[in-house]
Amino acid sequence: MSVNTDRHESAVARYLEAWNAREPEALAKAVAAAWTADGSYTDPLADVRGHEQITAVITAAHAQFPGFAFRLLGAVDGHHDTARFSWELVNEADGSAPVAGFDVVTLDAEGRIRQVLGFLDRVPAGA
């Protein structure tokens, strides 16, 4: 049984805001709002810690997929300090979503992300 709270939804909203920030200043501010200073992000393609490294991973994703935005798929499911959710990367021009995944986040007492464990469910060939 899950207990979905505003705390989990707010954390995921800040997380997606960071992934969708494109300007360097807005991205740095969004990463700082979403993650703890020593927060981490791990998926099959990256294993980083700290705001600077997380910002670099997000910047690289935007370079690889210009004109795309991350969108929540379904509801955020959470309990205690953990939440899980699905997302997709959507082409803003045609609405296609060639990349999709599932993330699990661990939060601190203030609702900021300490750790992200990401899984890629759909990735285009050669990406």
Side-chain angles (χ1 to χ4, degrees), residues 52-71:
E52 187 175 310
Q53 291 182 1
I54 292 167
T55 298
V57 167
I58 293 171
T59 299
H62 285 290
Q64 185 175 5
F65 294 98
F68 283 74
F70 288 86
R71 175 173 63 193

Side-chain angles (χ1 to χ4, degrees), residues 59-105:
T59 299
H62 285 290
Q64 185 175 5
F65 294 98
F68 283 74
F70 288 86
R71 175 173 63 193
L72 182 65
L73 277 178
V76 175
D77 183 25
H79 62 81
H80 297 88
D81 291 333
T82 305
R84 64 180 178 163
F85 58 96
S86 295
W87 53 266
E88 63 184 355
L89 185 59
V90 180
N91 183 320
E92 294 174 313
D94 66 15
S96 64
V99 182
F102 176 93
D103 290 355
V104 176
V105 298

